[in-house]
Amino acid sequence: MTFRLLMMLTLLGTFSIQAAGPGLPASFEPRPDVPAPADSWGFEPGQWHPRHDQIATYLAQLAAASDRVDIQTIGQTHGLRPLQLLTIAAPERLAELATLRADRQRASEAGDGPAVVWLGYAVHGNEASAATAAALTAWYLAASDDPEVATWLQDLVIVIEPVLNPDGLDRFAHWVNMHRGRHPVADPADREHLEAWPNGRTNYYWFDLNRDWLPLVHPESRARMAWLQQWRPHVVTDVHEMGPNTTYFFQPGVPERNNPLTPARNYELTRKIAEFHGRMLDQAGEPYFTRELFDDYYAGKGSTYPDLTGGIGILFEQASVRGHVQDTVYGTRHFKEAIANQVRTSLSTLQASHALADELVDYQREFFAGALEQARADRLAGWVLGDGGDPQRARRLLELLLAHGIEVRQLDEPVSIGGDLHDAEQAWFIPASQVHYRLVRSMLEPITDLPMETFYDVSTWPLAMSHGLPLASLRRAPALGARLTADASPQPRSGPVSDALAWLVPWDQHGAAGVLAALLQDGYRVQASVDPLQIATTNGQRTFSRGSLVLHRGLQPDDLEPVADTLEALAARHGVDVFSVPGGLALSGPDLGSPSVPVVRPVRPAMLVGNGLRATHAGYIWHWFDTELEMPLVQLEHDRLWRTELGEYTHIILPDGNYEWLSAALADRLAAYVRSGGILLAARSAAAWVEGLALDWSFVDAEETDNDNGQAPARRAYGDFQADFARQLIGGSALNIKLDPSHPLAFGYDRADMVVFRRGRHRLRQVDNAYVNVAVYADDVLASGFLSPQTAERLAGTPALSATRHGSGLVVRMADDYLFRRYWAGSERLFANALFFGQLVRGTELPAD
């Protein structure tokens, strides 16, 4: 053999390994008629970060070239990017795909196969090795003639969700590719590795989609859930990245921090599957860990939701390079190495699922049968849910329950919930005896006795509480009607009459804020009653709560469309009732021309954004403005605030974040803005930060410190630190507050008791004014979740929502998250009140002695 021939064979051997792609077997000889990712992208996987359109185009080409691949576009993101779903199996199995899918509900409960494996990738856009790994895995399955692959295709149904978060992926790919030179920089301080705010982790509106499996707020989650419900997979993978100075993680995770509703056999099977991952990574010489850091407690994560719905959810976390190459404590790592591990564990998942298929299929049968047995053992008939006088808010929750495949029944008789009688059409029954009993319990039942004190995410998610709706568990079911199969938006029960003198919109309706926003933007003059009033309407006498909107015919500009026509369209769009009034004289309370029914001025809000602020919290606010109020929200970069004329905005919103970056000069500008008549809305940690602004605060309590007693803390073991630290946090709990319904910021709530969602350890200070606290924390502060006794005692009775006048302006301090992940619908009105009715808050200084 000549030296030249030897070199050629060596190069060919090297090429074949590289051509196989990161993580794929070196023996892989792809079918020549099936395109490789590099054929479509123009670069080898790992060399650059592919954009989502490049991935989508390649997968469409793959499906066109291979009879093993079916591709569906199942939805579209907020950013108008397609959501793809691949199903891969032997051609004869693909031919019966529709039949298989239609039979999955029966098969899953009867214990019939085949096993279904769902491989999910890239829910966090800047954990990008997952997306490239998805393309490589799909190529390998479509192009390999390996006998092992053939058995997978014959015996399994493999579903691949290649990119769960296309919008975030594209933000990240643009960033790192834009900063990649011909010689990529490994220094962690290089700009490539330090994404600009808000970074690519989150979706279009800066939400974490790996917390949206339960709320289903976003189109990505809703599209996935519709197909997940059809397939009921036996195994679901959730592929992520973590910090660069780590190795590789796969579950079972921290056993003490898993959801107590998950059956023990789930963990046994997860451990068995983990053995396949371990062998695969051992063969590659890759380090890993399996029982630290991560848990499966919150039901809205991609690795926990399957555990409560009959599958085995598995989290994978690869050390990230956040770009193309980065120096770490484990040496210099390359993007292709991260991809390789994700591919390896994708294949080991298929190996394990095939080897354990009979056990997985039997476990799913046992899971659903066990759910019915558990419901019987708990002696619980089910839960009755009322609309709380707000059908629109109730429909939001009902639609969510139906999207999760949960059985809901109509009623044939009135029921009492918490002492209030609900007519049959105002309440619904959720039976306990259903295969999703565990998921329903997780969703609906408040919990305060938890077996752990450390949580990777929130400690509670009680959906009836979050929607502000009455709920009661029953040992005996009421008279039931038909099963709810579809839930159209409720139609208004009362609409506008064109020849009325005025029209009233009750403010205790969920959609009323959207109606007010639209009317103000269109230029109509809208009044709001600061006192309850009773008046004759075309539907009879009716009492209207504080905050109810009044549109008087005589006050409207002549150049606008008739009020009744506009209100009719808005009522249908937002699902609200509008009442027509023939005369302006009230039976009790203020007349319609009274000073107690002032005109609400239009608002032009702005929100601070940028480095140091919590992008997810800012995203909740932006999404609420954009989709609920349907009005623009100006986003002001904090580092350009010095050149912005703040007086152009009626409100400045400060989301959660670290405000230490703000210079003293800019803080003084915010204080001057308030004194000049501006309204500052400060939420979560920002609510505590504004207490340091140079305003005329009059605090009655001392500023809190870490050690208020001035004594050295008692000695503790070093190993106790993490548990002690977690115990003092409020990672996500539902807390009881006491409202003052007479305050403009509490308009629309007729009861003092309310539940809000709380994150963060901050505590608001009390001011020397008895009238400014819209809400305080109840003495029995914990409604659901975890709260240490020390933290509960520390918060009880302190301000939760406060509005103080300073000069001509107002500062609203909101300790809690009223828009949390956009499913905490019951407290959204508090934010709307601060926005629209903050201007109605008067000074409350009593005369000096």
Side-chain angles (χ1 to χ4, degrees), residues 244-265:
N245 292 312
T246 49
T247 57
Y248 194 85
F249 169 85
F250 53 88
Q251 286 179 315
V254 182
E256 299 82 11
R257 285 165 39 194
N258 287 318
N259 195 297
L261 293 174
T262 302
R265 194 179 175 196

Side-chain angles (χ1 to χ4, degrees), residues 108-147:
S108 67
E109 297 170 24
D112 295 338
V116 179
V117 184
W118 184 294
L119 304 178
Y121 301 88
V123 69
H124 294 150
N126 60 3
E127 299 172 7
S129 60
T132 298
L136 282 167
T137 301
W139 174 47
Y140 179 66
L141 295 174
S144 175
D145 286 322
D146 186 280

Side-chain angles (χ1 to χ4, degrees), residues 72-259:
Q72 300 283 336
T73 297
I74 62 172
Q76 192 178 59
T77 70
H78 291 295
L80 308 183
R81 293 175 175 86
L83 296 164
Q84 293 176 315
L85 195 70
L86 278 68
T87 310
I88 302 179
E92 57 271 23
R93 174 144 285 168
L94 278 189
E96 58 179 12
L97 207 59
T99 302
L100 272 173
R101 193 168 58 242
D103 189 48
R104 275 300 299 146
Q105 181 169 332
R106 182 207 63 80
S108 67
E109 297 170 24
D112 295 338
V116 179
V117 184
W118 184 294
L119 304 178
Y121 301 88
V123 69
H124 294 150
N126 60 3
E127 299 172 7
S129 60
T132 298
L136 282 167
T137 301
W139 174 47
Y140 179 66
L141 295 174
S144 175
D145 286 322
D146 186 280
E148 183 180 35
V149 173
T151 62
W152 297 346
L153 300 177
Q154 193 66 44
D155 299 338
L156 302 173
V157 174
I158 303 167
V159 182
I160 294 180
E161 191 176 9
V163 183
L164 281 72
N165 181 8
D167 295 339
L169 180 83
D170 270 3
R171 280 205 306 274
F172 179 70
H174 174 72
W175 178 267
V176 294
N177 288 337
M178 176 176 71
H179 293 96
R180 181 194 187 280
R182 295 183 181 181
H183 306 283
V185 178
D187 189 331
D190 185 70
R191 195 164 189 257
E192 177 186 354
H193 309 300
L194 304 171
E195 288 176 84
W197 195 93
N199 77 43
R201 175 184 175 91
T202 52
N203 79 337
Y204 188 91
Y205 284 103
W206 314 336
F207 281 63
D208 187 335
L209 289 179
N210 199 38
R211 307 297 184 266
D212 197 44
W213 285 67
L214 199 69
L216 301 182
V217 169
H218 299 282
E220 300 92 335
S221 306
R222 292 193 294 269
R224 178 198 315 116
M225 188 55 62
W227 285 78
L228 200 76
Q229 291 294 326
Q230 294 179 63
W231 274 118
R232 285 194 178 179
H234 298 86
V235 175
V236 178
T237 66
D238 185 23
V239 181
H240 290 259
E241 290 180 356
M242 53 184 166
N245 292 312
T246 49
T247 57
Y248 194 85
F249 169 85
F250 53 88
Q251 286 179 315
V254 182
E256 299 82 11
R257 285 165 39 194
N258 287 318
N259 195 297

Side-chain angles (χ1 to χ4, degrees), residues 7 29 33 57 88 107 112 119 139 175 213 264 287 320 376 424 472 476 493 550 609 613 642 661 687 772 779 785:
M7 288 297 296
E29 295 181 1
D33 58 336
T57 297
I88 302 179
D112 295 338
L119 304 178
W139 174 47
W175 178 267
W213 285 67
S320 178
R376 286 192 292 271
R476 182 176 180 180
R493 294 166 292 186
V550 178
V609 297
L613 301 187
W642 60 272
W661 47 261
V772 300
D779 292 337

Side-chain angles (χ1 to χ4, degrees), residues 438-450:
R438 293 183 179 94
L439 181 64
V440 177
R441 275 191 60 187
S442 170
M443 286 177 159
L444 296 181
E445 287 197 347
I447 183 169
T448 56
D449 185 14
L450 288 164

